[in-house]
Amino acid sequence: MSALPHRPTAPLAAPGTRLRTLGIPHLPQVLIIENAAYDFPWTRENFLSSLASGYLAEGLFDEGDGHLVGYYWAMKGVDEMHLLNLTVAPSEQRRGHARTLLQALRVRALQDGAQQLWLEVRLSNERARQLYQAAGYREVARRRAYYPARDGREDAIVMSLDLREAAA
Ligand SMILES: CC(C)(COP(=O)(O)OP(=O)(O)OC[C@H]1O[C@@H](n2cnc3c(N)ncnc32)[C@H](O)[C@@H]1OP(=O)(O)O)[C@@H](O)C(=O)NCCC(=O)NCCS
């Protein structure tokens, strides 16, 4: 499998950053952030199989030194898109990068004809739930014991954004 080409989508990125399609060459940077951000991070194999499956992956890069600031990975459905991973490097958090990445995902989903965006988030992940709520996502279901946790399992909250409603 060859690496995906760089495809700048500058208008969606905050000043000083640039959005690019992610591919295999970016995985070392992705894994550093992933391992710093999660107790249960995705592995290199998870990212490789996501690329092999044709999942959408975009990263936000610093225009100065080119380092990766954050990324999202999403799976396309027939008329929906499922956000699988949204992560901002710990040292770069609280600067609006996740909001930028969510907006980029929304634009891509609309371009691809999706009508709905879906995601799961840990019940305890207050900051992510706050982020998604602020972006218009609604909590629609709860999946019991969905995630591994340090003390057993943890529930997931399923959230969705109706793109037709959001665009109206
Ligand atoms: C959740 C995460 C993606 C947010 O990234 P970020 O770039 O810091 O978020 P932003 O700066 O774009 O914040 C946007 C909004 O999210 C919410 N938010 C983000 N961080 C927050 C925090 N620490 N506490 C409370 N709310 C927070 C706020 O509503 C914020 O808006 P505000 O700054 O105007 O108050 C980031 O903390 C992260 O990568 N965490 C680890 C991985 C993770 O949990 N990913 C989500 C998995 S579902």
Side-chain angles (χ1 to χ4, degrees):
M1 187 178 56
S2 62
L4 297 173
H6 272 193
R7 188 183 49 77
T9 46
L12 290 174
T17 59
R18 190 168 288 266
L19 198 66
R20 295 180 186 279
T21 302
L22 294 176
I24 291 174
H26 303 115
L27 289 189
Q29 285 191 78
V30 167
L31 283 163
I32 288 170
I33 295 176
E34 182 77 11
N35 288 321
Y38 293 101
D39 285 344
F40 297 91
W42 279 21
T43 62
R44 180 177 163 79
E45 289 64 38
N46 294 144
F47 286 112
L48 281 172
S49 76
S50 294
L51 287 174
S53 302
Y55 293 174
L56 180 60
E58 291 193 300
L60 205 53
F61 291 83
D62 183 284
E63 278 191 313
D65 63 8
H67 75 271
L68 180 64
V69 166
Y71 47 83
Y72 77 80
W73 294 67
M75 181 175 67
K76 294 180 204 174
V78 177
D79 57 5
E80 62 182 26
M81 188 90 80
H82 197 130
L83 176 60
L84 303 172
N85 187 325
L86 173 73
T87 312
V88 171
S91 60
E92 304 276 359
Q93 291 177 5
R94 232 45 222 272
R95 297 182 190 168
H97 294 315
R99 216 180 352 242
T100 299
L101 286 162
L102 276 185
Q103 176 61 11
L105 170 65
R106 185 161 151 172
V107 169
R108 278 305 300 269
L110 280 167
Q111 284 170 349
D112 286 0
Q115 299 181 0
Q116 206 95 24
L117 273 163
W118 294 92
L119 63 86
E120 285 97 20
V121 57
R122 283 178 187 268
L123 181 64
S124 65
N125 196 344
E126 293 290 346
R127 55 187 173 167
R129 288 173 65 187
Q130 178 72 32
L131 164 75
Y132 297 133
Q133 247 159 25
Y137 288 76
R138 292 193 194 128
E139 299 192 354
V140 291
R142 186 161 166 169
R143 296 198 208 289
R144 300 259 169 229
Y146 186 77
Y147 292 110
R150 284 185 176 178
D151 53 358
R153 307 285 300 180
E154 180 174 3
D155 291 356
I157 303 294
V158 182
M159 301 186 78
S160 81
L161 177 70
D162 188 321
L163 292 166
R164 294 158 300 181
E165 219 174 80

